[in-house]
Amino acid sequence: MNYTIIDIANISGVSKSTVSRVISNSGYVSPAAREKVLTAIEKLQYKPNAVARAMVSRHTKNIGVIIYRQHHPIASHPFYGKILDAILEKASELGYSIFVMTDKEITSKSADFLLEKRVDGLILISRLNQELIDYFKSSQIPFVMVNGTSDDSNVIHLVNDDERGGELAAEHMLSLGLTRIAVFAGPQEHRSHFLRLKGFRKTYSQNGYEVDENHIYYADSSQFEEGYKAFQSIWERSHNLQAIFATNDMIALGVIKAIYEKGMQVPKDIAVVGFDDIDYAAMSNPSLTTVHSAKTRMGHEAVLMLDEWIHGNTRQTKMQMFTPELKIRNSTKIEIMEGLS
Amino acid sequence: MNYTIIDIANISGVSKSTVSRVISNSGYVSPAAREKVLTAIEKLQYKPNAVARAMVSRHTKNIGVIIYRQHHPIASHPFYGKILDAILEKASELGYSIFVMTDKEITSKSADFLLEKRVDGLILISRLNQELIDYFKSSQIPFVMVNGTSDDSNVIHLVNDDERGGELAAEHMLSLGLTRIAVFAGPQEHRSHFLRLKGFRKTYSQNGYEVDENHIYYADSSQFEEGYKAFQSIWERSHNLQAIFATNDMIALGVIKAIYEKGMQVPKDIAVVGFDDIDYAAMSNPSLTTVHSAKTRMGHEAVLMLDEWIHGNTRQTKMQMFTPELKIRNSTKIEIMEGLS
DNA sequence: GATCGGCGTGGGAACCTTCCCACATATAGG
DNA sequence: CCTATATGTGGGAAGGTTCCCACGCCGATC
C-alpha cells in the first residue's frame, strides 16, 4: 500500500542510498540520477515514512501540548484555545506537528503517553504542581510552561505580568473615581488570579483605599456561571457598588449578565472591568474594558523557546514575562465621579 | 537516556521476547518472570518506544485532525473548537493521540504532512473541495469529514441537518408573527449556510411569505464583524424590520451589537435568531435564541466512526445527520405580533 | 515408555530509514 | 605517470519493537 525507498530505488535503477540522498538533499547525486529518482517518487506518489526516519534519527519533529484544565471548554476556550492557535501556527512554520492532549488531573498520565510517542518536546499549559514539574525535569525532555505556576527559576515559563495587570485595572478604576467597588476573584491557587488580585489591591491601597475583604468574592472556578451566580450573592451584601473588577473576562461577562437581569445597566449603574481580553470582550454588549494578556505572543514564543532547547540552546532568562495592556471599552465609559467616597 | 526492551531483559534475566509478552500482556509468561520484568520496568522507568512499535505493527494509534479555515480563531473557535474538544475527549478514551493542524488553503499540504507521519486516520473539518476528497479516497487512508461539503454518498461525513435547522428558526419566528424580516447569510459556498438559508426561506414561503431578496444580506465571511457591519448597510434599506435571522451565532452577535449601537434594543425593537448555539449564545446580553447544532456529538461520533474504519468495519450509512434543536432565549422574548404584515 | 498437548522461553527476521564506510571514476597537480 | 582530491554510488549496520517459529520441560494418556 505504501511504497518504500527500496521501491523507488528499484524503479529508478539506483540504490536506496542514492534515493535517500535525493530526499534529504545531501551528499553527491548526479543530475541524471536525481532526475530519475524524482520522477519515480512523483509517479508512485511516494511519501517518506516519518516513523522509520524517527527510528534512526532519534527525533520525531513532533511536539506535545498538554492543557491541564478541569472544565470544558478546553481547546475552544477563549484564553487557552487562543494560545493553542498560536502554538499551532508557529509550530507549522517551524515544521513541527503538534499532539494536543487535555488532562483534567494534574498527573503525569498524559505526559507519559506523549513521552512514549517520543515527542521532541512538551508545552504545558496552565497550572501544574511542583511534583509534576520535578517529574518533567527528571525526564530530560525539553519542556516549557505557559501561564503556569512556578517559582523555579530554572524552568522555562512564559507568563503574563498579572500583578502589573491588576495594577492597570486599579489605576483605570481609580482614575474614574470608582472607590465603592467589589472584586470577583478566580481560584487563588492559580498564579494568575492570585497576582491579578494582589496587584489590584496594592494599587488601591497605595491610593488610600483598602479593598474591603467583605467585598471580595472568591470564586471556585473562573467560569461565566461563577460570575453570574456570584453577583447575586454579593449584591445582597452591598447595594451601592459603583464598579466591579473580575480577575478574568469570563467572570466579568457573567457579572454583566447578572447585572442586567437585576434590571441595572453597565456602566450606568455599575462599571465592570475584566482581564484577558478574550475575543468576546470586544463583542459583548456593552463591550468590556479589560486588561489584554499576550495569548498569541505567549503561544508563539513558547514554540520558539522550545525549538531552541530542542536544538541544544537555552537562554539565560528562563522566565519570560509579557507586559499587559489596558483596553478601555464601554463597560467603564462613565463620567468621572467626583467627591464621592 | 531512554532504556530499551533489551535493557529490561538483561536486568530481569529473561529474553526480550518475554519482556515484550509482559508489556503486551499476551502469550505465556510465568508469574515469576512477569514479576521480575515488572520490577525492572518500574525501577528504570522504562517507557516502550511507540515509534519502534509503530514501525513493526504498521499503525501508530495517532489520528490527524485538520481544520480547514481561513480566519482566526481556529482551535479557539466556538464552533470548530467545540468539535475539536469532543474529538480530543473521545480519542483519549480510545487510546489515540491527536495531531491537530489548521490549514488556510484547501490543498493536500497538511494532509501529506500527516500522511508521512503515518497517522491511522484523518478527521477533516469544514469545507473542502471534490478534488481533495478524491485525493483522500485514492490515498487509501481512513478519513471522515465533519461539517463539510460532500454529495459523495460513499464518503463518511457527519453533518448537522442544517436545512431542518433553518426551518426551525423560521417556524419559531413565524409563530411569533414576525414577517417583516431580514436574513444575514454566511458564505453560500459553505453547505451549512446555504442549507440554513434554504430551509428558512422554504418555510416562510410555505406559509405565504416570500423572503424578499433585497432583505437578504450575503456576508463574505461568517464572522462577528460581518454581522456588525452588515446591519448598518441593511438598516439603511429598511427601517421597519421586526426580526433578523442570521445563519450563525457569530453573525447574530455582531448584529445585536450593531442594533444596540443604533440605540435600539433586542428583542423590543428587533428580535434576533442565530444558529449553532455556541457557548456565548447563552451568555450574551440578551441571551440569543438559536438553533443548536450537535458539535459535541459530531466530534465524538467522528472518532468512533473513524475507529471502526481503522479496524476494518464500515457502516452502510456513510452520512450521519444530526437533528438540530431550537433554543428559545431572550432575543426573541416578545409579545406575539398580531394582524401585522 | 513413547507420544502428545499445554506451558514457558529465546532467537531471529522484519519494519524503513539514515549514516558510515568502501569503492569507482575522473580530473588536476607534481 | 603516480598520487591526491572531488564526485558519485552502493552495501550494510543500526535503531527498538513485534511476531513467528523452534525448542525444552512437564504431566497425562494410551
Side-chain angles (χ1 to χ4, degrees), chain B residues 4-5 20 46 49 53 56:
Chain B
T4 75
I5 208 170
S20 176
Y46 163 76
N49 184 329
R53 180 175 290 168
V56 22

Side-chain angles (χ1 to χ4, degrees), chain B residues 81-108:
Chain B
K82 203 82 178 174
I83 296 175
L84 179 59
D85 262 330
I87 290 173
L88 256 22
E89 185 175 52
K90 184 58 77 181
S92 167
E93 259 175 49
L94 300 184
Y96 288 102
S97 298
I98 296 287
F99 278 122
V100 180
M101 292 197 76
T102 64
D103 202 333
K104 289 198 208 303
E105 293 154 41
I106 305 181
T107 68
S108 69

Side-chain angles (χ1 to χ4, degrees), chain B residues 126-138:
Chain B
S126 197
R127 185 164 60 92
L128 39 168
N129 55 34
Q130 191 59 40
E131 188 189 353
L132 202 50
I133 294 174
D134 290 338
Y135 180 77
F136 288 121
K137 283 170 81 172
S138 73

Side-chain angles (χ1 to χ4, degrees), chain B residues 57-118:
Chain B
S57 72
R58 326 282 305 255
H59 49 80
T60 52
K61 271 280 182 180
N62 295 159
I63 289 176
V65 174
I66 308 178
I67 308 177
Y68 292 93
R69 213 184 121 76
Q70 279 196 285
H71 303 283
H72 271 95
I74 304 176
S76 54
H77 189 279
F79 182 81
Y80 300 104
K82 203 82 178 174
I83 296 175
L84 179 59
D85 262 330
I87 290 173
L88 256 22
E89 185 175 52
K90 184 58 77 181
S92 167
E93 259 175 49
L94 300 184
Y96 288 102
S97 298
I98 296 287
F99 278 122
V100 180
M101 292 197 76
T102 64
D103 202 333
K104 289 198 208 303
E105 293 154 41
I106 305 181
T107 68
S108 69
K109 210 177 129 249
S110 310
D112 283 337
F113 210 74
L114 292 175
L115 254 21
E116 288 194 11
K117 303 273 181 168
R118 295 300 190 260

